């Protein structure tokens, strides 16, 4: 089992729809969870961080965390073509807090078509 | 806030030469900096973690004598690729973290290295 696994994609949604990106992690003691967006040829950009169970909203983005199910998701409302990118789920595993090493999923490619 | 810069953004060098890449945190003090490498269509691979004033901690399989990392101040870390070879051609990305802000890592724009 991979340490961090994302829905394989690619994911294609029409403009204005909700895009749902999912991520599961294997280390039950993981404490910190992040979503990054990476455009082709560019470096990752932090979109959301979430540490507690429940939802966290920032503009069109909502991150959801369920530690019991070891599941974290990202919803993008009113998707725009500019949201087309690779989305990376990242986790800081238990015991890794002091160094803050991120463990990344393989990424999900999202395409928003007009 | 939380801006990280890298220099140069791209570099071409001849096989056998060394290349230095700088990573700077512009508006915060980076207690920890990380260096990643990314090959086309692959995910990020962590190379090493460095704390200011300490030796870097390298990931398994990364040659510390080939990839020299120096984190001399709270705003600057450098990666030197020594005796570069074509297989070292890649996208090198640094990230920085300020524990005072939390556990978020902020990435620099990356440096594309091509070794001919």
């Amino acid at each position: 089992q991979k340490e961090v696994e994302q829905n394989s994609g690619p994911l294609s949604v029409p403009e204005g729809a909700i895009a749902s990106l999912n991520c599961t992690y294997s280390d039950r003691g993981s404490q910190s969870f992040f979503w990054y967006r990476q455009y082709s040829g560019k470096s990752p950009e932090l979109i959301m961080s979430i540490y507690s169970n429940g939802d966290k909203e920032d503009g069109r983005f909502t991150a959801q965390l369920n530690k019991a199910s070891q599941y974290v998701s990202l919803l993008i409302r009113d998707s725009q073509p500019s949201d087309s990118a690779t989305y990376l789920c990242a986790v800081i595993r238990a015991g890794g807090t002091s160094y803050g090493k991120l463990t990344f999923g393989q990424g999900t490619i999202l395409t928003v078509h007009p | 806030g939380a801006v990280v810069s890298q220099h140069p953004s791209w570099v071409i060098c001849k096989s056998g030469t060394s290349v230095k890449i700088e990573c700077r945190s512009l508006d915060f003090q980076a207690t920890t900096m990380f260096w990643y490498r990314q090959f086309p269509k692959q995910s990020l691979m962590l190379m090493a973690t460095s704390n200011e004033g300490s030796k870097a901690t390298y990931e398994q399989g990364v040659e510390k004598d080939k990839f020299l990392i120096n984190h001399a101040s709270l705003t600057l870390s450098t990666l030197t690729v020594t005796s570069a070879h074509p297989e070292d051609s890649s996208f090198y990305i640094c990230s920085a973290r300020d524990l005072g802000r939390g556990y978020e890592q902020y990435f620099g724009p990356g440096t594309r290295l091509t070794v001919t």
Side-chain angles (χ1 to χ4, degrees):
Chain A
Q1 183 186 8
K2 292 181 182 177
E3 294 175 18
V4 179
E5 199 153 359
Q6 297 182 234
N7 48 336
S8 56
L11 179 66
S12 180
V13 300
E15 185 174 355
I18 295 176
S20 176
L21 303 160
N22 303 315
C23 175
T24 57
Y25 57 95
S26 61
D27 187 344
R28 184 170 288 278
S30 298
Q31 297 293 323
S32 307
F33 308 87
F34 309 90
W35 283 100
Y36 286 87
R37 176 175 63 196
Q38 186 174 24
Y39 292 113
S40 181
K42 303 293 186 182
S43 67
E45 172 192 8
L46 179 65
I47 299 175
M48 295 283 282
S49 59
I50 186 166
Y51 301 99
S52 304
N53 279 328
D55 295 358
K56 179 181 178 182
E57 187 175 316
D58 184 359
R60 296 186 296 112
F61 299 98
T62 299
Q64 299 173 318
L65 175 61
N66 184 325
K67 289 186 179 180
S69 301
Q70 295 174 237
Y71 174 91
V72 59
S73 67
L74 180 71
L75 299 177
I76 306 174
R77 289 182 300 281
D78 188 24
S79 296
Q80 301 297 309
S82 58
D83 295 326
S84 299
T86 298
Y87 288 80
L88 300 168
C89 172
V91 172
I92 296 180
R93 297 173 57 191
T97 300
S98 60
Y99 294 105
K101 286 170 51 171
L102 294 173
T103 301
F104 284 94
Q106 76 276 27
T108 299
I109 298 172
L110 171 67
T111 302
V112 181
H113 52 89
Chain B
V3 179
V4 178
S5 70
Q6 270 184 254
H7 179 80
S9 55
W10 60 269
V11 58
I12 301 172
C13 72
K14 293 188 182 232
S15 187
T17 61
S18 296
V19 172
K20 180 185 281 189
I21 302 170
E22 290 187 351
C23 177
R24 293 181 185 272
S25 56
L26 298 185
D27 55 358
F28 66 101
Q29 294 190 321
T31 48
T32 308
M33 286 184 167
F34 304 84
W35 287 95
Y36 296 84
R37 183 166 55 178
Q38 187 174 36
F39 293 106
K41 299 193 185 303
Q42 294 187 23
S43 193
L44 294 152
M45 187 194 82
L46 179 65
M47 299 174 68
T49 302
S50 73
N51 292 294
E52 184 262 339
S54 303
K55 286 186 179 179
T57 302
Y58 290 81
E59 294 299 299
Q60 194 171 6
V62 177
E63 299 174 60
K64 62 180 180 182
D65 294 329
K66 181 172 182 61
F67 298 99
L68 302 179
I69 292 171
N70 184 279
H71 191 165
S73 77
L74 283 171
T75 59
L76 173 63
S77 176
T78 60
L79 167 68
T80 301
V81 183
T82 63
S83 187
H85 291 285
E87 56 267 29
D88 298 323
S89 299
S90 188
F91 191 38
Y92 291 87
I93 314 171
C94 72
S95 71
R97 184 188 70 159
D98 174 14
L99 264 183
R101 290 176 177 237
Y103 299 112
E104 288 85 355
Q105 279 186 36
Y106 298 94
F107 285 84
T111 297
R112 199 161 299 281
L113 170 64
T114 302
V115 185
T116 61

